[in-house]
Amino acid sequence: MNATPLSSEPSGLSRFMDRRGFIRTSAAAAGGGLLLATSKSAMAQASAAGRKIKCALVGCGAQGDALRTASKTVDGIHWVAVADIWKYNRTPMARRMALENKHQVEGAVNEYETIEELLDKETSIEAVFVATPDFLHAPFSRLALEKGKSVYCEKMMSNTIEGARDMVKAGRENKGIFQIGHQRHSNPRYINLRDNVIRKNELLGRVTHCYGQWNRGVSASVPLGVPKNQDIPQEMLSKYGYVDMLQFRNWRFFKQYGAGPLSDLGAHQIDMFNWMYDATPVSIIATGGVDYYDGSTGEDGQPKAKFELPDNVMCLYEFKLPSGTMRAYYQVLTTTGSQGFYEKHMGVKGSAIISEAAMYNQVYAEPGNDWTKFSEGPKPFIAKAQDKIKNKFWEQSRNWEKPKPPSYTKVSAADVRESKALDQWELNVTLDERPHAPHIRNFIESVQTNDPKHLTCNVMDAFKSCVTVLKAYEAIEKGAKVVFTPEDFTVA
């Protein structure tokens, strides 16, 4: 099986661009869109903190709805319009936006079938949220940027490195704010772990190993059908690069539209290996394959999904940090939900476990390390744990009591030795809104102040993560270690 989605053929990107033709030639329009910054009053308005930003959403599927929902707690958003080629998703999204985000809407939410029509008619919008399948991220982001808009594009940047590279160039060639949706960069819990625990106070000491996983059961990979009389005309499907309605509905199964479960589920977490240590890996070895979702009949008698990219991947990255070598293991499994998803950072003085799910929020100290002073003062960043520590592979709470001798009980028990009780702590920062909300807020603030330096995940940082993820397929294909070069992480 060819697992690599990185072929020299630029997948949906250039096919779309060649067909549409006008994408790159619309640079002049970008200049027109930036005329708002040609007068002093307009410049003052463009950089006024707290002002409302007229926004549009392109892509009305599950991820688009997640952004809409999370945006409800973000000040400064004024939703104006939505676009999606599927009316079945588009119209309910407009209605939910008008109803559930009514404090962010004035009048009706306008609907458009295509992004081109939206950009042509909604000239007053300043920001576009792109939540389409991965292969459309690059062309749609470029379209909006060249129209003078700011763009928040969902991760992963693209299903190809070439597509991601073009997004970096589009960001450079245009002046709009360009944020990529790796929302952990703005999550105060993750920022606390990185800035206070790992970096400033070095509680974990030298971090030698990281671990991350996203395990998901089979119920999440059931092929999606098409509701009766809800087909999109074939001409429209073909215009945007879809073979048919089946592939439109199940685009994640096909490498021409997406980059497989490693991207869908793992990109956020692999990105954390880079972001926490401000580094990129020097090598990767990986294995995986289509071991389950091969289209055959499942245990329930129904046809299973048929994946083109590996349904399970295990990869090992090697980093060379100033403190020494760090190895980071990542796995994504789609046949079991065992232990869910989380990341773990393990150092010689302590370890931390964290996830977007609040249940993983612990740190523990190795023997001989007293962290009490870090839990004191006006803004302590750790707190003494109220729960039992979770630090074994099965991640269940234990009381860590020394086994009682057989004479303590009527029935003798095996004396299973355990390590000394570990010092238990909690990361003392919580998040009381949806995980995407701080990242959307960071984007809106950057647009309000016209300050790209305020972004927590600019397009270049996201590009490095995209390369880190997609190179795993090359390692699988070759069956050997792949060594990264500095050129892999640069865009000329």
Side-chain angles (χ1 to χ4, degrees):
M1 179 199 67
N2 183 356
T4 306
L6 314 177
S7 67
S8 57
E9 183 179 345
S11 186
L13 174 62
S14 69
R15 289 188 295 105
F16 180 87
M17 294 172 68
D18 291 343
R19 185 168 50 253
R20 300 304 304 160
F22 62 84
I23 298 177
R24 289 185 183 278
T25 61
S26 60
L34 294 171
L35 289 177
L36 78 165
T38 57
S39 69
K40 291 183 178 179
S41 60
M43 290 177 68
Q45 182 183 19
S47 60
R51 66 190 178 87
K52 286 187 177 180
I53 304 297
K54 289 187 176 181
C55 299
L57 173 65
V58 177
C60 297
Q63 195 57 36
D65 200 47
L67 294 177
R68 178 199 62 78
T69 303
S71 75
K72 289 193 289 187
T73 58
V74 179
D75 293 334
I77 288 185
H78 177 191
W79 288 112
V80 172
V82 299
D84 197 301
I85 63 172
W86 202 23
K87 182 177 174 60
Y88 184 81
N89 274 349
R90 183 180 68 243
T91 296
M93 177 68 78
R95 290 173 178 169
R96 286 195 297 273
M97 192 172 280
L99 178 64
E100 299 176 13
N101 298 68
K102 59 184 178 182
H103 59 294
Q104 299 169 321
V105 172
E106 296 178 6
V109 175
N110 297 324
E111 296 182 43
Y112 298 96
E113 192 170 28
T114 69
I115 184 175
E116 293 91 341
E117 185 182 11
L118 181 148
L119 292 173
D120 286 343
K121 294 185 177 178
E122 298 288 353
T123 57
S124 66
I125 61 171
E126 291 187 60
V128 176
F129 287 75
V130 177
T132 61
D134 297 351
F135 79 115
L136 292 174
H137 287 175
F140 281 10
S141 293
R142 178 174 279 279
L143 266 178
L145 288 165
E146 292 186 344
K147 285 285 189 179
K149 312 304 179 186
S150 294
V151 172
Y152 180 110
C153 181
E154 260 303 323
K155 72 82 193 165
M156 209 170 53
M157 287 178 74
S158 175
N159 59 329
T160 68
I161 291 177
E162 180 176 335
R165 200 179 297 276
D166 186 73
M167 294 176 76
V168 175
K169 293 177 180 177
R172 290 175 180 171
E173 295 164 5
N174 299 279
K175 294 186 177 179
I177 301 296
F178 197 3
Q179 173 88 300
I180 303 300
H182 287 288
Q183 70 270 4
R184 283 169 170 78
H185 289 221
S186 301
N187 189 318
R189 294 175 53 239
Y190 277 85
I191 293 173
N192 180 44
L193 173 60
R194 183 190 69 164
D195 292 355
N196 294 323
V197 175
I198 293 178
R199 294 188 179 183
K200 181 179 179 180
N201 296 288
E202 299 181 334
L203 263 62
L204 307 186
R206 176 187 163 187
V207 176
T208 55
H209 296 85
C210 293
Y211 175 83
Q213 72 167 52
W214 195 310
N215 292 348
R216 188 176 70 181
V218 296
S219 61
S221 298
V222 176
L224 300 175
V226 181
K228 187 177 180 180
N229 299 325
Q230 295 299 331
D231 288 84
I232 299 171
Q234 186 59 48
E235 182 180 2
M236 179 63 77
L237 288 173
S238 299
K239 176 180 177 181
Y240 287 94
Y242 296 102
V243 171
D244 55 28
M245 204 58 198
L246 174 66
Q247 293 195 14
F248 171 79
R249 289 285 282 145
N250 299 285
W251 63 269
R252 297 177 190 278
F253 301 165
F254 303 93
K255 61 183 178 182
Q256 75 183 85
Y257 312 119
L262 185 64
S263 167
D264 287 343
L265 305 178
H268 283 303
Q269 298 170 293
I270 294 172
D271 170 64
M272 284 294 96
F273 296 155
N274 292 2
W275 181 74
M276 284 284 179
Y277 304 98
D278 193 22
T280 51
V282 297
S283 69
I284 177 178
I285 55 177
T287 186
V290 181
D291 299 337
Y292 184 81
Y293 297 99
D294 56 3
S296 62
T297 302
E299 287 79 358
D300 58 359
Q302 299 299 315
K304 294 182 293 189
K306 188 174 184 179
F307 285 13
E308 289 187 342
L309 290 168
D311 56 34
N312 69 105
V313 176
M314 288 141 280
C315 46
L316 181 61
Y317 295 97
E318 180 182 10
F319 290 79
K320 295 296 185 183
L321 304 180
S323 58
T325 298
M326 181 185 80
R327 302 186 194 281
Y329 173 82
Y330 186 77
Q331 73 172 35
V332 57
L333 309 180
T334 54
T335 52
T336 172
S338 175
Q339 306 304 318
F341 60 95
Y342 62 89
E343 304 96 62
K344 206 166 186 179
H345 301 263
M346 294 164 276
V348 297
K349 293 184 178 179
S351 293
I353 183 169
I354 191 169
S355 170
E356 281 194 330
M359 63 181 293
Y360 294 118
N361 197 46
Q362 294 84 30
V363 285
Y364 66 90
E366 293 288 335
N369 293 281
D370 184 0
W371 292 350
T372 302
K373 67 178 182 179
F374 301 112
S375 67
E376 300 172 340
K379 293 183 178 179
F381 57 88
I382 60 171
K384 197 64 180 176
Q386 299 299 313
D387 196 0
K388 306 300 182 184
I389 195 67
K390 302 176 178 66
N391 72 322
K392 296 296 183 182
F393 73 91
W394 53 85
E395 302 296 340
Q396 298 298 316
S397 300
R398 294 185 62 89
N399 57 22
W400 301 105
E401 291 179 354
K402 183 179 179 179
K404 293 180 173 60
S407 58
Y408 275 47
T409 59
K410 293 181 179 180
V411 180
S412 297
D415 184 358
V416 180
R417 299 291 179 183
E418 295 284 359
S419 303
K420 180 184 177 182
L422 297 170
D423 207 9
Q424 310 166 25
W425 303 87
E426 296 278 347
L427 295 167
N428 198 34
V429 174
T430 58
L431 180 65
D432 58 0
E433 57 186 347
R434 292 178 181 271
H436 292 82
H439 206 48
I440 296 172
R441 183 175 297 111
N442 174 255
F443 170 68
I444 292 298
E445 289 172 350
S446 297
V447 178
Q448 288 171 329
T449 56
N450 193 29
D451 183 7
K453 294 181 179 178
H454 184 64
L455 292 174
T456 57
C457 185
N458 62 47
V459 68
M460 194 62 212
D461 290 340
F463 171 75
K464 294 175 182 177
S465 292
C466 188
V467 172
T468 303
V469 172
L470 292 179
K471 278 287 186 178
Y473 291 121
E474 182 179 333
I476 294 172
E477 177 101 358
K478 291 181 176 178
K481 177 188 286 188
V482 170
V483 177
F484 291 95
T485 67
E487 291 73 25
D488 288 329
F489 298 106
T490 58
V491 178

